[in-house]
Amino acid sequence: MNSKNAHSSSFRDPSGYVFTENGKIKRAINPIYFKQYKALSDSGFYNDLFKNKLLIKHEEVEKTDEQIIISAEKIPFITYPYEWSFNMYKEAALLTLKLQKYCLEHGFSLKDASAFNVAFHNGKAIFIDTLSFDFYTEDSPWRAYKQFITHFFGPLVLAHYHGAQQLKLLSNFIDGIPVKMLSSLLPFKTKLNPLLYSNIHLLAKLEDKHNEDYKGESKVASLSKKGQLNIIESLYNYIKKLQLKEQSEWGNYYDKTNYTDDAFIEKSQIINAWIKAIKPERLIDVGGNDGTFVRRIDFEVNNALVCDIDNNAVDFNYKTMKLNKEQFMLPFVLDVLNPSASIGLNNKERDSFLNRIREFAPNVTLALAVIHHMSLSGNVPFRNSAQFFSTFSKHLVIEFPKRNDSWVQRLLKSKGEFENHFSFYSIENFEIAYSEFFTITKKTPIINSDRVMYLLEVKS
Amino acid sequence: MITLYFDPGLGAMIIQTIIAAVAGVILFSKNLMYKIKVFLGITKDNKKDVFDDIDINKDSDLENKNSSEL
C-alpha cells in the first residue's frame, strides 16, 4: 500500500498517507476514502475551511482508479503539542471543536481528534490532517470524543490546576494522557464541577468498567446530533475561559533585567545592523523570551522561530503575536539542555528538534543572554555549547555576559562553595572554545553593561 | 464508513449520552445567567479576547478581504 516513501508518522490511517516528493508535501488517498474525499471536495467543504484558514490548503495533482494524489501547502516548521504554550494549546483545542461543530452541521464528523493533527502556521493554529473527516452517521456518538479528552481537554485542565509544565506530559503519552491518570491527578474539588466530573471522572469510571468487555456485549448508546453539539459547545465555552493559575515568573522579564535603557537600545541596534547585513529569510532566537528583540529587528524575515524554556514567556509572545496579527512569528517552548527528542514508532513518528531545525535551515541563530544560563546553571562547557550552536546555521549572534555581570554574579553566588569550579567562565575561554567551530566576524561591547555581542560564522 | 483505526473506548461511547445531558443543563443555565446579566446591565465586553466564537463564518470573507487589501 505504502508504495511511495511514506512519512514515518503516516501509518495509522488506512485512508491514505503522507510522503515527500522533490521537497513537496504530498498525500496519497486510497480508494477506501474516495467517496469521502469526493463529497468533501464537491460540496465545497474543503474550500470553506481553506477560506477560513482552518485546514491546510491542498490541490489535486493526480487521479487514477487506484490512487488520488494531492499536494499540500508546506509548513516551514512543525511544532508538537508538548512544545506549545498554554494558550497555543487552547487555540488548537478550540480549533478541533470548531471543526467538529462545522462537520456536524454539514453531515461530516472528525474521525480522530489527535493534538498532532494541528500545527501553527502564519500566526494561527491550523488543521493538517486532510483525511480526518468522515461521514456523520445519524444519532451516533462522537468516536473521537475520548481522544479529544486525552489529547486536549485533560492536559489543559491539568495545566490549569498544576501549571503549564503539565503540557509536556504528551511527549511521554503520545496518544493522550490516560483518563484514569487524569482523574487521579486532578484535585478532589474537580469532582464537584459537573462538567469536569462528567467529562473526566465519570469517563474514567466507565472506561474502567467496560475495559474488560472483550466479548463486545455492551451496547453503544445512541446520541442525537443536538446532544453531541451540546457536549462540543460546553467544552468549547469551558476551554475558552480556562486560565493558568500560576503567575508568570518571566512575564515582566524586561522590567527586571540589569540593563539600562541605553544598553537595551544599543543591544537592539547592534542586532539590527548585523541582521540587515545578513538579510536572512529564516531565523531562530534560542532563549528569545517574549520575542522582544526579534520584533525590534528592522528587516522583514519570512519566518522567525522564537523559543524559550519558560512556557509563560512563550505564552506572552504568542498573545502579542495574536494581538499584532503577526504571521512571521512562531513561538514555542524549548529547553536547550533537553531539546525534544524523536519519539513514537521506530523513534521516527515525531521528529526531534534538531532534525526539524536542520530541515528548516535558518540563516542566522540568535542566542541572547543564554550562554551564562547554559554554562552556569546547566554546567555545559563552552566547547559543548559551541558545538551545539554550530549545527544550527551559518551565522550566530551570541551575547556574552562577562564575569562581573550581575546576573552572572547571582548565578555564581548560588553555587556556594562550588563557585571556584566555574573559574572557566571568562571571555578569553569563551573565545578560545568558540573559535574551534566559528570565526569571530564581529565583536562589540554593549555600553553601560558587562556584556559583549559577537557575530560568529561557522568554519567550513 | 471507515473502520476506526484506533480504540474509541467503549465507556466513552456509552457515556456521551450522560455527558450530553449534563452539558445541556450547563449551557441552558449559563445562557439564562447571561440573559439575566444583560437585563441587569452587568455584562463585560472583553474585546481583547484572542479567541473567537465556535461558529465558522461561511459566507463572509471579510477576514480574507481585509488581509488582501494590506
Side-chain angles (χ1 to χ4, degrees), chain A residues 162-392:
Chain A
H162 303 301
Q165 295 284 8
Q166 301 290 324
L167 298 176
K168 287 197 167 178
L169 277 175
L170 224 69
S171 66
N172 262 329
F173 297 96
I174 189 166
D175 194 24
I177 303 169
V179 247
K180 214 174 164 182
M181 185 172 144
L182 281 173
S183 168
S184 73
L185 283 172
L186 286 175
F188 178 78
K189 62 181 171 197
T190 56
K191 292 193 174 172
L192 305 173
N193 178 323
L195 189 109
L196 293 180
Y197 181 75
S198 56
N199 282 288
I200 293 178
H201 298 296
L202 194 63
L203 176 65
K205 247 185 210 171
L206 252 98
E207 276 290 281
D208 217 26
K209 191 177 151 197
H210 291 279
N211 229 346
E212 283 166 23
D213 175 24
Y214 297 117
K215 292 178 190 154
E217 281 167 344
S218 319
K219 260 187 93 180
V220 173
S222 72
L223 175 70
S224 69
K225 195 187 266 185
K226 177 81 187 81
Q228 195 184 137
L229 284 169
N230 278 350
I231 299 181
I232 290 159
E233 263 171 65
S234 65
L235 287 172
Y236 192 95
N237 295 341
Y238 186 86
I239 293 173
K240 197 178 162 188
K241 286 198 190 121
L242 207 59
Q243 301 283 345
L244 280 184
K245 274 188 164 176
E246 58 183 359
Q247 277 298 310
S248 163
E249 293 169 48
W250 290 89
N252 300 319
Y253 175 76
Y254 290 106
D255 292 342
K256 49 184 179 193
T257 45
N258 51 7
Y259 282 104
T260 59
D261 286 351
D262 299 349
F264 181 85
I265 291 169
E266 216 210 16
K267 175 171 162 185
S268 154
Q269 279 168 349
I270 296 170
I271 299 169
N272 231 330
W274 291 350
I275 296 285
K276 270 181 166 171
I278 298 171
K279 296 188 176 59
E281 278 178 26
R282 298 171 301 277
L283 67 80
I284 177 166
D285 186 351
V286 181
N289 202 272
D290 62 2
T292 300
F293 282 101
V294 168
R295 277 198 184 83
R296 292 175 72 95
I297 291 174
D298 188 17
F299 177 83
E300 218 170 285
V301 285
N302 293 346
N303 300 101
L305 310 182
V306 176
C307 37
D308 200 279
I309 186 172
D310 178 32
N311 197 299
N312 290 315
V314 176
D315 209 41
F316 194 77
N317 189 7
Y318 163 82
K319 280 189 197 151
T320 316
M321 171 193 93
K322 278 284 172 194
L323 293 172
N324 296 347
K325 295 198 166 44
E326 293 160 341
Q327 300 207 340
F328 72 101
M329 179 77 82
L330 177 60
F332 64 96
V333 180
L334 175 84
D335 179 0
V336 277
L337 300 177
N338 183 22
S340 318
S342 302
I343 54 170
L345 187 76
N346 286 325
N347 280 9
K348 278 184 177 164
E349 219 178 320
R350 312 291 166 211
D351 223 350
S352 73
F353 165 75
L354 289 179
N355 284 341
R356 278 175 290 149
I357 200 71
R358 203 167 298 134
E359 204 183 316
F360 177 75
N363 308 97
V364 59
T365 305
L366 303 180
L368 311 170
V370 175
I371 186 72
H372 55 309
H373 288 291
M374 282 180 91
S375 313
L376 301 174
S377 314
N379 294 7
V380 179
F382 286 140
R383 194 183 177 274
N384 297 52
S385 62
Q387 190 181 24
F388 174 68
F389 285 125
S390 70
T391 59
F392 281 51

Side-chain angles (χ1 to χ4, degrees), chain A residues 390-436:
Chain A
S390 70
T391 59
F392 281 51
S393 58
K394 191 177 168 201
H395 303 281
L396 171 69
V397 175
I398 190 164
E399 178 187 22
F400 187 84
K402 289 191 261 188
R403 223 179 152 82
N404 303 339
D405 180 86
S406 63
W407 256 109
V408 175
Q409 282 300 318
R410 197 179 306 175
L411 290 171
L412 283 171
K413 288 279 174 311
S414 68
K415 301 284 177 188
E417 58 194 290
F418 292 105
E419 198 180 324
N420 295 335
H421 290 244
F422 294 88
S423 52
F424 74 88
Y425 191 89
S426 71
I427 197 155
E428 293 78 23
N429 286 338
F430 168 78
E431 284 184 12
I432 294 168
Y434 272 67
S435 295
E436 193 182 327

